[in-house]
């Protein structure tokens, strides 16, 4: 089975969120199961400047994009049985940020066309192209519109995975001819909601459509979660399913993680308390390892449940608890948490930045990990937290519901603390239940923590499901 995994980000080269982790771990798991896997992503400025990765130049050619003929260079490296290709064009990708530019639609249209054009220049014709999120959504469209009549391309199938349906790639109607270079016939696959909707085209044209958890697959088929595409997804139910993400257990391993203050494992837990004390010292928290530390490593945006936290933050801090927050996002939340940290010195630490090393130190030092999301396609942080011995507190939505089951305080069955309605005081009740177990039922707490640390959150099961779908195609 030959698979080309097309993505806009992939760790360790470039990562802004969960897609970067998925694009790293899933291809490696597929390769471990015998598939021949190549990953292709843009050659961003941040990748170019990272000299840790030794990339070799492969070839160059022109990409036809409407009336343009645009240079494309291809670079390559190989790691852990996966070959990585990088699409090089300085005009589109030599920029300070990955996303958020005015011409993102054109940038990723070029990327999608270059991916398909590249195949004949590198001599790799996959059985399946697995395209991820709206940035890669034009691959099924371009394949059918420009390449499927070429014999080597004729048998290629496409899978499209929705990692977050909120971001759909909406552009004006002029995009059809000015950028895509396609005639009016193709508007039927693009016209949705009063504009060209690139994700819509991929859902309609891809041979299979997936999303990143079973619950999210059901949720986005209703109007509250579907962001306008719910009826479209109901119409393609025959080719649509959810496969819950995993994490890379070699990357996220408290026993070997080089980022930690002190490593630990189920058989040697002393390092967790040492790391907790050192994190408290580093972040200016009161040095008390017996006090429960609750953390959030997240984008500071409303749909992550930050408005719930904001609503009852003073109530939470009346408890015997310390809070650590790491992330960036909306200025409103950044300023509120910084102000709260000033009001509660020694009890709340707000770290408004992206810091991967600190993130792992926080996971390892925490007792509780809070994810009160309004919606969560899958979520990786709750699985990472459990791997590092922090019990999750989550709202029952998307992948959070699929991976965190409520704890029975009598038997120790379950994985964390959950609440259903999007309500600040229901979240506060879940926090109170977690603190009761932490302070008053230590043996049950330890049992759940040890169980969570040994759970199999790897990609093996998910990768088998993807392979089965590839083969069915």
């Amino acid at each position: 089975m030959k698979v080309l995994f097309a993505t806009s980000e992939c760790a360790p080269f470039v990562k802004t969120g969960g897609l970067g982790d998925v694009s790293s771990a899933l291809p490696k798991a597929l390769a471990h199961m015998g598939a021949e896997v190549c990953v292709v992503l843009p050659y961003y400025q941040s990748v170019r400047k990272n000299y840790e990765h030794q990339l070799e130049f492969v070839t160059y050619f022109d990409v036809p994009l409407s009336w343009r003929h645009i240079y494309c260079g291809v670079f390559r490296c190989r790691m852990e049985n996966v070959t990585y290709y990088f699409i090089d064009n300085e005009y589109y990708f030599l920029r300070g940020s990955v996303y958020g530019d005015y011409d993102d639609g054109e940038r990723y249209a070029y990327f999608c066309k270059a991916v398909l054009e590249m195949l004949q220049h590198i001599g790799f014709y996959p059985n399946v192209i697995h395209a991820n999120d709206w940035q890669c959504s034009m691959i099924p469209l371009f394949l059918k519109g420009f390449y499927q009549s070429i014999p080597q391309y004729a048998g290629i199938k496409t899978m499209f995975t929705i990692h977050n349906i909120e971001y759909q790639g909406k552009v004006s109607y002029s995009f059809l001819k000015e950028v895509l270079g396609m005639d009016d016939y193709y508007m039927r696959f693009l016209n949705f909601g009063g504009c060209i909707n690139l994700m819509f085209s991929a859902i309609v044209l891809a041979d299979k459509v997936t999303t990143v958890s079973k619950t999210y697959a059901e949720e986005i088929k209703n109007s509250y979660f579907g962001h306008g595409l719910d009826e479209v997804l109901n119409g393609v139910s025959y080719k649509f399913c959810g496969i819950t993400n995993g994490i890379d257990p070699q990357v996220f391993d408290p026993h070997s993680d080089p980022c930690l203050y002190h490593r630990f494992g189920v058989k040697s837990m002393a390092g967790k308390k040492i790391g907790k004390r050192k994190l408290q010292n580093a972040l200016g928290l009161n040095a008390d390892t017996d006090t429960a530390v609750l953390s959030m490593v997240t984008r500071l945006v409303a749909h992550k449940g930050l408005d719930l936290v904001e609503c009852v933050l003073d109530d939470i801090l009346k408890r015997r608890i310390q809070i650590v927050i790491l992330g960036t996002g909306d200025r409103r939340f950044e300023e509120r948490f910084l102000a709260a940290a000033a009001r509660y010195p020694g009890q709340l630490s707000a770290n408004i930045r992206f810091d991967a090393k600190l993130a792992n130190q926080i996971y390892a030092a925490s007792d509780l990990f809070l994810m009160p999301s309004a919606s969560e396609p899958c979520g990786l942080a709750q699985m990472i937290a459990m791997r590092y011995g922090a019990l999750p507190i989550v709202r029952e939505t998307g992948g959070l519901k699929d991976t965190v089951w409520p704890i029975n305080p009598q038997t120790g069955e379950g994985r964390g603390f959950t609440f259903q309605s999007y309500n600040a005081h229901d979240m506060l009740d879940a926090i109170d239940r977690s603190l009761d177990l932490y302070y008053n039922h230590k043996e049950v707490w330890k049992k759940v923590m040890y169980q969570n640390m040994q759970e199999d959150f790897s990609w093996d099961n998910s990768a088998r499901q993807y392979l089965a779908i590839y083969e069915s195609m």
Side-chain angles (χ1 to χ4, degrees):
M1 175 64 63
K2 294 182 178 181
V3 180
L4 181 70
F5 195 90
T7 178
S8 58
E9 58 183 85
C10 175
F13 307 104
V14 58
K15 170 186 166 182
T16 70
L19 175 59
D21 289 316
V22 172
S23 301
S24 171
L26 176 55
K28 286 190 286 187
L30 292 168
H32 181 71
M33 293 178 178
E36 183 180 349
V37 186
C38 295
V39 176
V40 58
L41 66 154
Y43 193 22
Y44 297 112
Q45 177 175 288
S46 56
V47 180
R48 186 185 298 267
K49 289 186 174 181
N50 189 339
Y51 297 107
E52 289 182 24
H53 310 300
Q54 298 298 314
L55 307 185
E56 63 171 323
F57 176 75
V58 179
T59 188
Y60 72 94
F61 47 85
D62 282 347
V63 174
L65 193 68
S66 187
W67 49 267
R68 309 161 187 82
H69 287 270
I70 309 170
Y71 168 83
C72 176
V74 178
F75 288 78
R76 174 176 62 197
C77 73
R78 188 165 175 81
M79 295 167 49
E80 298 186 61
N81 296 321
V82 177
T83 302
Y84 298 87
Y85 288 99
F86 300 84
I87 299 296
D88 175 39
N89 180 283
E90 292 187 2
Y91 174 74
Y92 288 127
F93 302 128
L94 195 65
R95 305 186 186 187
S97 59
V98 175
Y99 309 123
D101 286 334
Y102 74 97
D103 59 346
D104 274 1
E106 182 180 326
R107 294 170 70 210
Y108 289 104
Y110 163 80
F111 173 69
C112 291
K113 195 76 178 289
V115 167
L116 290 164
E117 191 71 21
M118 174 188 73
L119 302 182
Q120 57 194 317
H121 293 275
I122 64 172
F124 179 76
Y125 297 100
N127 302 110
V128 175
I129 300 178
H130 187 159
N132 293 272
D133 263 354
W134 81 262
Q135 292 88 353
C136 300
S137 63
M138 290 160 276
I139 288 176
L141 175 72
F142 284 147
L143 179 63
K144 292 186 184 299
F146 294 107
Y147 292 94
Q148 218 159 35
S149 60
I150 301 172
Q152 294 93 329
Y153 288 77
I156 296 175
K157 302 296 183 181
T158 55
M159 174 185 284
F160 178 66
T161 295
I162 301 166
H163 294 263
N164 191 334
I165 202 167
E166 217 172 318
Y167 305 103
Q168 300 177 5
K170 297 179 180 180
V171 292
S172 66
Y173 288 125
S174 62
F175 198 81
L176 178 72
K177 294 181 179 176
E178 179 66 18
V179 177
L180 299 177
M182 307 185 91
D183 60 36
D184 291 337
Y185 169 81
Y186 290 95
M187 188 61 79
R188 69 187 70 188
F189 306 118
L190 291 157
N191 183 13
F192 187 80
C195 65
I196 283 179
N197 186 310
L198 300 172
M199 182 175 282
F200 167 75
S201 76
I203 293 170
V204 172
L205 292 174
D207 296 295
K208 294 287 183 182
V209 181
T210 67
T211 190
V212 291
S213 71
K214 293 183 180 353
T215 295
Y216 191 62
E218 293 305 312
E219 287 177 340
I220 61 178
K221 288 194 282 188
N222 71 65
S223 59
Y224 180 80
F225 290 98
H227 292 274
L229 289 173
D230 46 290
E231 290 187 9
V232 180
L233 290 168
N234 277 293
V236 297
S237 291
Y238 64 93
K239 65 175 183 179
F240 176 54
C241 69
I243 300 174
T244 303
N245 285 340
I247 59 173
D248 189 331
Q250 294 180 325
V251 173
F252 300 107
D253 183 358
H255 195 263
S256 60
D257 189 338
C259 297
L260 303 190
Y261 290 114
H262 201 289
R263 298 171 193 173
F264 61 94
V266 170
K267 295 181 180 179
S268 55
M269 289 296 293
K272 185 170 177 69
K273 183 167 280 193
I274 294 170
K276 184 176 181 178
R277 184 177 67 248
K278 290 190 174 183
L279 185 78
Q280 288 172 329
N281 292 337
L283 300 183
L285 297 170
N286 297 327
D288 179 5
T289 56
D290 292 329
T291 294
V293 170
L294 178 147
S295 63
M296 298 184 75
V297 177
T298 182
R299 283 184 293 120
L300 302 180
V301 293
H303 84 263
K304 292 292 186 179
L306 274 299
D307 51 345
L308 301 188
V309 178
E310 180 185 46
C311 180
V312 294
L313 184 58
D314 291 311
D315 293 317
I316 297 171
L317 288 163
K318 291 175 183 175
R319 276 74 173 160
R320 185 185 172 191
I321 197 170
Q322 294 178 350
I323 298 178
V324 178
I325 296 170
L326 174 64
T328 62
D330 293 349
R331 181 174 294 181
R332 162 195 162 189
F333 294 120
E334 292 181 352
E335 292 177 349
R336 292 289 173 86
F337 291 131
L338 286 170
R343 293 200 314 274
Y344 294 93
Q347 195 178 1
L348 191 154
S349 172
N351 305 274
I352 309 303
R353 62 184 187 272
F354 178 84
D355 188 329
K357 181 177 180 180
L358 178 59
N360 284 22
Q361 292 169 346
I362 291 170
Y363 288 125
S366 298
D367 304 294
L368 296 163
F369 191 83
L370 179 60
M371 290 183 73
S373 306
S375 64
E376 193 66 57
C378 180
L380 303 179
Q382 78 279 12
M383 291 184 271
I384 299 169
M386 286 188 276
R387 182 106 167 110
Y388 285 79
L391 271 57
I393 303 169
V394 305
R395 195 174 88 79
E396 294 180 12
T397 185
L400 300 178
K401 185 176 181 180
D402 292 341
T403 56
V404 180
W405 312 311
I407 292 170
N408 182 327
Q410 276 74 47
T411 65
E413 295 174 325
R415 292 178 173 175
F417 307 89
T418 71
F419 62 102
Q420 291 184 334
S421 60
Y422 193 69
N423 179 283
H425 286 88
D426 285 354
M427 179 192 73
L428 185 60
D429 175 70
I431 293 172
D432 283 337
R433 284 185 275 120
S434 72
L435 293 175
D436 176 63
L437 196 73
Y438 178 81
Y439 288 118
N440 302 319
H441 305 279
K442 283 289 187 185
E443 291 307 312
V444 177
W445 179 277
K446 289 179 182 177
K447 179 182 178 182
V448 176
M449 180 174 64
Y450 293 158
Q451 287 171 175
N452 286 355
M453 291 177 69
Q454 296 175 87
E455 285 287 352
D456 181 8
F457 294 115
S458 75
W459 272 97
D460 289 353
N461 182 51
S462 302
R464 278 192 288 270
Q465 294 179 62
Y466 277 111
L467 270 177
I469 295 175
Y470 297 157
E471 289 164 1
S472 74
M473 294 159 68

